[in-house]
Amino acid sequence: MERLLRNRWALVVALALILAALPLVFPSNYYFRVAALVNIFALAAIGLNLLMGYAGQVSLGHAGFMGIGAYAVAIGASRFGLNGAVAMLAGAAMAGLLAFLVGRPILRLKGHYLAVATLGLGLLISMVLTNEAGWTGGPDGMAVPRLELFGTRLRGPDTWYMITAGALVLGVILALNLIESPTGRAMRAIHDSEIAARVVGVDVAAYKLKIFVISAVYASIAGSLMAFLNGHITPDGTAGFLRSVELVTMVVLGGLGSVLGAIVGAAMLVILPQALTIFHEYEHLLLGLIIMASMILLPRGVIPSLLARLRGGGA
Amino acid sequence: MPELLQFAFSGLTVGAVYALVALGFTLIYNASDVVNFAQGEFVMLGGMITVFLHLAGLPIPVAAFAAILITVLVGLALYAFAIDLARGSGAVQIIIITIGASIFLRGVAQVIFDKRFHALPAWFGSEPIRLGGAAILPQSLVVLAGAALIVALIFLMIDRTILGRAILATATNRLAARLVGIPVRRIVALSFALSAAIGAVAGLLVTPITLTSYDVGTLMALKGFAAAMLGGMGSAPGAIVGGVLLGLAESFGAGLISSKYKDAIAFLIILFTLFVRPQGLFGKRSTERV
Amino acid sequence: MSTLLETENLSIAFGGITAVDQVSLAVAPGQIHSIIGPNGAGKTTLFNLISGLYQPSSGRVKLAGEEVTGLPPEQLARRGLSRSFQNLQIFFRMSAVENVMVGCHRHERTGILSHLLALPNVRAENRNSREIAMAQLARVGLADLAEKEAGSLSYGALKRLEIARALATEPRILLLDEPAAGCNPVETEEIDRVIHDVAKAGIAILLVEHDMRLVMRISDEITVLERGRKLVSGKPEAVREDPRVIAAYLGTFGSEEANRA
Ligand SMILES: Nc1ncnc2c1ncn2[C@@H]1O[C@H](COP(=O)(O)OP(=O)(O)O)[C@@H](O)[C@H]1O
Ligand SMILES: [Mg+2]
């Protein structure tokens, strides 16, 4: 079991199989929708985990990049007549460019200072989305035209489940590739000791920036997919501070530095509140409790705790 | 000119509130290294509880006193049932816990109270005082005086009492403080109680001017945090100066540039400060030891 | 003998304390130059200045004839300067061999896009770096522990892991800060051998070490620091006999235990 959790290709194959098998047991469209949301948030969480769990840099504003991806497809299609897929790529490029431009000064900061700077960045993005109502529809949001590919309109949660599942598997493969590459070693090294990384020639600032850009692109793509799935987006729902907090919680809850963990964390934080929607009025109260409880009870994250348990018991 | 005076005055008023929130942050941060994102909820609770106890028939002074007391209990509970349980966790985990607490408290307020805006009557009426062409609300003066009083009390306490010395010792070196017999955990709990009280007072001072609702805490916490950072994390005078500067910048920015992006102006200033002087205005620059 | 690294009147002050005060020294390829002195003398700070972690308040550093004062450590690494740390700086969550592979970083050429796609050239490069890293691990006697997580290794092993990692950068000069501190006699022996071996390969070595027997045996030259200043500099025999050094050390030379902090 531990081997399985550690072997990256076993992970990819298992994930693909599970994602392919799930539709067989889904009783209704609702399940497809929730599962598609899990895929989407898992994708964003994997990107953020590259930044937080591997390179060790916190971001409390990552939903801002999701917002860019979401509004790129909405505005691109409705205002510029772009095909949704093209708009999605344009959004990813914009998110990456923004991350590139602001990343260097922001990532010089450490600890709480980095937290507040990224938080400020996310807030600024969501403020722009809220205030520029002429473009974005303001706080009430805007409709997202359906994605059209090869002459067919893509609609329906089952279709979007398949697309997001594909995107997730692709995201996992790219992330695993990166982790086992020179870049991956450099960023993991930065996490453990920046000065040791520097004295063997790793340009720490440059790598932090690269990972920041990559994680922003992951978030942007996830945001675009969410926009397509929901058909309607709002600044708070895509780029809000709560979203950023949820993303960070997913990463930590699943396990910093674990790709599988990011998926598990996303699944838990998407499904748990869904299961509790009967208590609609208590939504925030319960979300707050879930976030606190998961950090207090599982500060190391689900997957690392599980691995430690397996190692302790099995060996 | 009268306009500028007006901006300066309203900036000072909100700045005083930010300063109190930042001071609360600083107390907890110094005692425990915890950055408490639920600080803004203390402000919200101070205002909301007063409003609802008053609606329930209590006279305002009694309601206000009860609100402070309840908020202090909430602060202690936050320490005992969340922060203390997570002792030894990483900084990110603790940050998320306090954010979770903030969301939770907001959720509780939404259930117990409601989602509407509420006001409190101003303490000395709402007839504006004319001064050099600017209109000044009497309540603004109350906010300024109240903030000054709290700041003075806190500084006196830290400077003059044994308790204050213990807090200072804990802030300087926790291990050493423990070794000389200071009950560090109780000091940290106390810092949560004090911060909660400061927040609650800030809330009930400012509610007659800005109104309150269940969700005013988030922005308040972010700005207080930003103010603390502007001044230099961990510096109490820095927190106060940072708060006032932030309030002024916001007020002038909103008046002269764009009120839509009032909150953005604050964060742009913070980002700029962090880039050019990451240790804040009052923080000391140090070479990281290797 | 040409000098490879040279410092000229290097100084730094923290607050009021001048931790390194006008220190000049030189080291040539293949030479072992030891820096000794009591705790707090400024040895580590001197290393931090030379390796670019601290900015000197005055003075200069020259590497192979070029002025490199104030260059950041990653650029110095690319010019062939690497080091180990007194307080371990290990990538604890990576395996031993991966730690050393990070040392190969400056020779790796593939770009981030090929990394994401795991193109064949990346896989070849990974293999190549792993081979180099394994060779360096073998060189310091850690080949058996290559796949172990660094966090699980013993202190003595980690000391050598840092040397292997620094060696993987293929340095021209290596700075070793107390490599034998906390090591048992067998491990110290091993480190002695490694240092000799490295010097023989033509790499210049600056060594900070408290184990006087090791220092006296191994050094071509010794500089004694006291309170940031250079007290004496010369051949081991000369330094050993110098009355100022004996005074500074209260006659504890030769009994390394007394000097272990
Ligand atoms: N980053 C720093 N900030 C302040 N003081 C420092 C710093 N680094 C070293 N020092 C001071 O410089 C002096 C020399 O320390 P160090 O170089 O570590 O000595 P050694 O390695 O010879 O034992 C000490 O007094 C130490 O406290
Ligand atoms: Mg030292």
Side-chain angles (χ1 to χ4, degrees):
Chain A
M1 181 74 181
E2 191 196 333
R3 270 274 189 72
L4 197 70
L5 285 174
R6 286 193 167 274
N7 183 316
R8 55 183 172 142
W9 298 121
L11 174 68
V12 173
V13 172
L15 178 70
L17 285 177
I18 292 171
L19 287 172
L22 279 176
L24 303 175
V25 298
F26 282 161
S28 71
N29 260 346
Y30 172 75
Y31 282 76
F32 280 102
R33 226 190 88 72
V34 174
L37 274 177
V38 170
N39 294 339
I40 287 166
F41 278 102
L43 190 63
I46 287 170
L48 184 57
N49 202 4
L50 288 176
L51 182 71
M52 284 181 59
Y54 290 96
Q57 311 298 308
V58 71
S59 169
L60 278 178
H62 241 54
F65 297 116
M66 277 185 96
I68 291 178
Y71 278 87
V73 294
I75 296 174
S78 63
R79 299 290 158 86
F80 298 102
L82 288 179
N83 177 282
V86 175
M88 178 161 100
L89 294 180
M94 270 161 38
L97 183 66
L98 179 67
F100 179 77
L101 291 178
V102 300
R104 199 170 270 272
I106 283 186
L107 293 164
R108 264 200 351 230
L109 304 169
K110 292 200 163 70
H112 300 317
Y113 293 88
L114 178 63
V116 84
T118 50
L119 190 159
L121 175 67
L123 226 64
L124 288 176
I125 295 174
S126 83
M127 253 180 246
V128 170
L129 294 179
T130 309
N131 284 335
E132 298 305 318
W135 287 95
T136 64
D140 296 332
M142 68 188 293
V144 184
R146 293 276 169 211
L147 175 65
E148 217 170 290
L149 271 188
F150 313 117
T152 38
R153 282 184 168 221
L154 302 180
R155 57 198 324 158
D158 46 349
T159 312
W160 280 106
Y161 169 78
M162 287 312 202
I163 294 172
T164 55
L168 175 58
V169 172
L170 191 65
V172 168
I173 292 174
L174 295 181
L176 290 173
N177 285 343
L178 191 70
I179 291 161
E180 294 296 329
S181 74
T183 299
R185 288 191 292 276
M187 70 186 191
R188 286 182 284 154
I190 289 169
H191 193 182
D192 282 338
S193 170
E194 284 192 19
I195 56 167
R198 295 182 73 189
V199 300
V200 295
V202 174
D203 187 339
V204 169
Y207 274 101
K208 285 183 183 172
L209 188 61
K210 283 180 192 169
I211 307 303
F212 193 57
V213 169
I214 290 177
S215 69
V217 169
Y218 266 81
S220 174
I221 300 275
S224 298
L225 292 172
M226 184 157 80
F228 285 133
L229 173 72
N230 287 342
H232 186 272
I233 51 175
T234 61
D236 277 351
T238 55
F241 177 55
L242 260 187
R243 276 273 177 268
S244 289
V245 173
E246 280 174 348
L247 284 178
V248 173
T249 309
M250 287 169 186
V251 171
V252 181
L253 174 59
L256 285 165
S258 162
V259 171
L260 177 59
I263 302 172
V264 172
M268 290 173 75
L269 228 62
V270 170
I271 294 171
L272 219 49
Q274 293 286 341
L276 298 170
T277 43
I278 19 169
F279 310 105
H280 182 69
E281 212 187 323
Y282 297 86
E283 186 192 338
H284 278 150
L285 192 158
L286 290 170
L287 180 65
L289 271 184
I290 293 171
I291 289 175
M292 279 197 286
S294 48
M295 287 305 106
I296 292 171
L297 301 175
L298 285 166
R300 292 172 57 200
V302 174
I303 296 299
S305 302
L306 202 63
L307 278 174
R309 175 90 33 105
L310 284 172
R311 204 173 305 155
Chain B
M1 271 321 277
E3 256 186 2
L4 295 186
L5 196 64
Q6 187 79 53
F7 296 152
F9 215 81
S10 57
L12 273 180
T13 310
V14 271
V17 178
Y18 295 160
L20 288 182
V21 180
L23 186 63
F25 257 127
T26 305
L27 280 177
I28 291 180
Y29 180 75
N30 279 347
S32 62
D33 281 343
V34 171
V35 168
N36 177 29
F37 273 92
Q39 192 70 27
E41 269 59 41
F42 296 154
V43 178
M44 177 273 289
L45 287 175
M48 287 294 267
I49 296 175
T50 311
V51 166
F52 275 79
L53 289 181
H54 179 53
L55 285 180
L58 288 184
I60 284 193
V62 180
F65 185 72
I68 297 173
L69 216 63
I70 295 171
T71 309
V72 166
L73 289 178
V74 170
L76 285 172
L78 171 63
Y79 173 69
F81 298 120
I83 305 296
D84 194 40
L85 293 181
R87 248 175 315 152
S89 291
V92 175
Q93 282 83 346
I94 303 272
I95 285 185
I96 301 177
I97 288 175
T98 66
I99 294 176
S102 140
I103 298 170
F104 170 73
L105 289 174
R106 213 181 319 156
V108 172
Q110 179 187 338
V111 172
I112 297 185
F113 309 127
D114 57 23
K115 293 174 93 166
R116 283 202 298 271
F117 277 97
H118 295 277
L120 279 173
W123 294 19
F124 301 104
S126 44
E127 189 61 39
I129 304 161
R130 300 263 153 213
L131 195 104
I136 294 157
L137 293 173
Q139 187 67 25
S140 286
L141 298 175
V142 174
V143 171
L144 287 174
L149 185 68
I150 290 177
V151 169
L153 283 176
I154 295 282
F155 275 70
L156 268 181
M157 185 204 69
I158 289 185
D159 217 39
R160 296 287 159 81
T161 66
I162 295 195
L163 191 63
R165 295 275 135 193
I167 293 177
L168 217 53
T170 308
T172 314
N173 187 334
R174 223 155 301 147
L175 182 62
R178 183 166 297 138
L179 290 178
V180 299
I182 294 172
V184 168
R185 276 169 76 192
R186 240 183 290 165
I187 295 290
V188 175
L190 182 80
S191 74
F192 273 84
L194 260 179
S195 286
I198 295 174
V201 172
L204 60 93
L205 285 176
V206 80
T207 296
I209 304 178
T210 59
L211 309 187
T212 189
S213 77
Y214 78 105
D215 63 352
V216 294
T218 314
L219 258 190
M220 199 52 96
L222 296 182
K223 300 219 179 128
F225 191 5
M229 240 167 220
L230 185 59
M233 251 348 225
S235 155
I240 290 151
V241 174
V244 172
L245 284 181
L246 184 57
L248 286 172
E250 240 184 59
S251 167
F252 278 97
L256 301 176
I257 306 170
S258 151
S259 66
K260 262 202 321 196
Y261 283 103
K262 187 181 77 154
D263 299 325
I265 289 162
F267 277 96
L268 287 173
I269 287 175
I270 301 314
L271 288 179
F272 183 74
T273 315
L274 287 180
F275 296 158
V276 297
R277 198 179 156 83
Q279 73 274 33
L281 299 176
F282 284 66
K284 277 194 288 288
R285 175 154 242 153
S286 69
T287 309
E288 196 183 341
R289 278 192 188 236
V290 175
Chain C
M1 245 187 331
S2 62
T3 50
L4 179 62
L5 180 99
E6 202 179 343
T7 73
E8 260 173 43
N9 298 326
L10 211 52
S11 305
I12 189 173
F14 300 109
I17 305 155
T18 308
V20 170
D21 197 356
Q22 306 270 340
V23 173
S24 303
L25 52 78
V27 54
Q31 197 188 21
I32 301 175
H33 188 147
S34 293
I35 321 270
I36 62 172
N39 277 319
K43 306 179 295 292
T44 298
T45 307
L46 178 63
F47 271 20
N48 289 342
L49 286 170
I50 295 174
S51 57
L53 289 167
Y54 290 172
Q55 297 291 324
S57 8
S58 67
R60 303 198 297 169
V61 183
K62 277 198 207 157
L63 182 58
E66 271 183 85
E67 167 138 15
V68 295
T69 319
L71 283 189
E74 56 270 23
Q75 285 191 28
L76 290 169
R78 268 171 246 159
R79 289 164 189 250
L81 182 148
S82 195
R83 66 172 286 183
S84 74
F85 293 90
Q86 178 184 355
N87 306 312
L88 292 171
Q89 296 286 342
I90 297 288
F91 310 132
F92 282 105
R93 279 167 277 209
M94 300 167 77
S95 67
V97 66
E98 280 182 316
N99 266 266
V100 184
M101 285 167 84
V102 178
C104 301
H105 187 79
R106 76 182 187 101
H107 306 292
E108 292 170 330
R109 290 284 168 270
T110 50
I112 194 159
L113 280 180
S114 19
H115 295 166
L116 281 165
L117 300 171
L119 296 181
N121 59 351
V122 179
R123 275 176 273 160
E125 192 165 65
N126 277 342
R127 269 196 304 277
N128 186 41
S129 292
R130 181 171 284 269
E131 261 169 40
I132 296 173
M134 287 304 295
Q136 297 299 353
L137 280 175
R139 195 172 180 185
V140 301
L142 291 177
D144 295 346
L145 302 175
E147 300 301 334
K148 285 256 186 294
E149 193 175 21
S152 70
L153 300 186
S154 73
Y155 191 81
L158 292 177
K159 281 279 179 190
R160 280 177 286 153
L161 183 60
E162 282 210 349
I163 300 177
R165 183 178 66 196
L167 285 173
T169 68
E170 295 178 12
R172 291 190 286 176
I173 173 159
L174 188 59
L175 278 54
L176 299 173
D177 198 349
E178 305 200 14
C183 291
N184 63 37
V186 181
E187 289 167 332
T188 305
E189 197 66 30
E190 184 86 25
I191 283 168
D192 184 342
R193 182 187 61 70
V194 172
I195 295 175
H196 258 300
D197 172 52
V198 171
K200 220 178 286 161
I203 297 172
I205 291 178
L206 271 180
L207 173 72
V208 167
E209 184 49 60
H210 278 308
D211 185 330
M212 283 310 144
R213 230 177 278 167
L214 177 64
V215 169
M216 289 301 160
R217 189 171 57 221
I218 210 174
S219 308
D220 297 308
E221 184 157 357
I222 296 177
T223 293
V224 185
L225 284 190
E226 197 203 23
R227 285 189 223 162
R229 286 214 195 91
K230 186 157 101 176
L231 190 65
V232 182
S233 178
K235 298 268 170 246
E237 309 76 47
V239 169
R240 186 203 296 266
E241 308 299 330
D242 194 293
R244 285 167 298 176
V245 177
I246 295 173
Y249 270 77
L250 299 168
T252 52
F253 258 16
S255 76
E256 70 263 34
E257 282 75 20
N259 274 303
R260 284 219 179 134

